[in-house]
Amino acid sequence: MPSVTHALVTGASAGIGAAFARELAARGHALVLVARRADRLEALATELRARHGVAVECIACDLADPHTPQFLLDQTTRRGISVDMLINNAGYGVTGSLVSREWRTHEHFIEVMISAPTALCHRFIPAMRERGYGRIVNVASIAGKEGNPMAGAYSASKAAVIAMTKAIGKDLARTGVIVNCVAPAVIETPILDGISEEHIGYMVERIPMGRMGEPEEVAALICWLASEECSFSTGATFDISGGRAVY
């Protein structure tokens, strides 16, 4: 394991991404925070530097742009950063039937939710494999396992993330690079701003614990998956769903 570990976290400005960044900083890890909102990234970075004294870099960009994954690799390389942990967390919620929206809306969604994490893995895995160490955690969803009604595009995108994780985890199983994903049920984050109350109610009703999850609960699981202690699990999907998924 490298003496100084750097974690690149997408969607880091709020929700699960910000909770995960805070947890990693508390553990002394250096961070590369990625999101669209530069102001939110800088505010979080200022907080983490002051509270934990860790190195934090901010890169504001749009993962819907197909050039962004290479841009992030170029930026980290130029700054002398070796990314040891890649957390593909960026995303947003879209509800409605697949035919109820213009196709361009779905194209943008696919770029962020499927193409971006796949391309980031493609860009950052070679250096991890060369060093013989790396941790990748992809944030999927229970929707990718069960398929939520009126969320066809979202469910399909998260199913793709789960399948990609399984495949890459097997590909890299003997390289020291471990790849897993988490499949949360509904978590109380700003992503819910784009989802109807009816759909949120549908999701919460199916959780035996009867509540939404908290970002910090997901962050704790991701932290273990991104750690050196996670050494014999790869290509796996870890549910954090309040009992909704028990398989």
Side-chain angles (χ1 to χ4, degrees):
M1 180 179 178
S3 57
V4 177
T5 55
H6 285 81
L8 188 151
V9 185
T10 68
S13 62
I16 294 171
F20 177 68
R22 289 187 174 99
E23 185 63 29
L24 274 183
R27 300 181 185 203
H29 295 290
L31 298 169
V32 180
L33 305 180
V34 176
R36 288 179 300 170
R37 292 282 301 271
D39 56 337
R40 291 183 181 177
L41 287 179
E42 289 297 342
L44 178 58
T46 299
E47 172 196 328
L48 299 181
R49 292 180 191 121
R51 181 173 298 177
H52 303 293
V54 296
V56 184
E57 299 279 343
C58 297
I59 304 178
C61 56
D62 187 353
L63 285 168
D65 184 339
H67 298 102
T68 293
Q70 183 62 47
F71 170 74
L72 289 172
L73 178 60
D74 292 343
Q75 285 292 310
T76 53
T77 301
R78 187 172 297 120
R79 301 180 194 195
I81 296 170
S82 296
V83 173
D84 312 297
M85 304 179 211
L86 172 61
I87 314 301
N88 283 310
N89 168 71
Y92 61 99
V94 172
T95 55
S97 70
L98 194 63
V99 297
S100 66
R101 293 175 178 270
E102 294 294 329
W103 181 246
R104 179 60 198 139
T105 301
H106 293 301
E107 285 183 317
H108 182 276
F109 188 78
I110 288 166
E111 286 293 339
V112 174
M113 304 293 276
I114 303 176
S115 298
T118 304
L120 285 167
C121 287
H122 175 71
R123 296 303 195 283
F124 284 95
I125 282 173
M128 292 181 183
R129 186 169 52 191
E130 184 177 341
R131 293 191 298 271
Y133 183 87
R135 296 291 184 270
I136 298 173
V137 184
N138 299 314
V139 178
S141 168
I142 188 65
K145 299 180 72 174
E146 296 192 352
N148 284 343
M150 297 300 288
Y154 184 83
S155 299
S157 73
K158 293 306 188 179
V161 168
I162 291 170
M164 176 186 71
T165 300
K166 292 179 179 180
I168 297 176
K170 292 174 182 177
D171 290 343
L172 301 174
R174 300 190 181 187
T175 66
V177 181
I178 286 177
V179 187
N180 291 295
C181 70
V182 296
V186 60
I187 307 298
E188 195 165 7
T189 71
I191 197 173
L192 298 181
D193 294 344
I195 299 177
S196 69
E197 289 295 327
E198 180 182 5
H199 192 75
I200 294 171
Y202 165 86
M203 293 187 289
V204 173
E205 284 174 5
R206 278 148 185 79
I207 298 174
M209 286 188 177
R211 66 173 177 87
M212 289 188 276
E214 297 293 335
E216 292 76 17
E217 293 173 309
V218 184
L221 176 57
I222 293 174
C223 274
W224 181 75
L225 292 172
S227 73
E228 187 179 12
E229 285 72 27
C230 179
S231 57
F232 197 55
S233 293
T234 197
T237 303
F238 288 77
D239 288 295
I240 181 162
S241 63
R244 177 173 170 181
V246 290
Y247 60 93

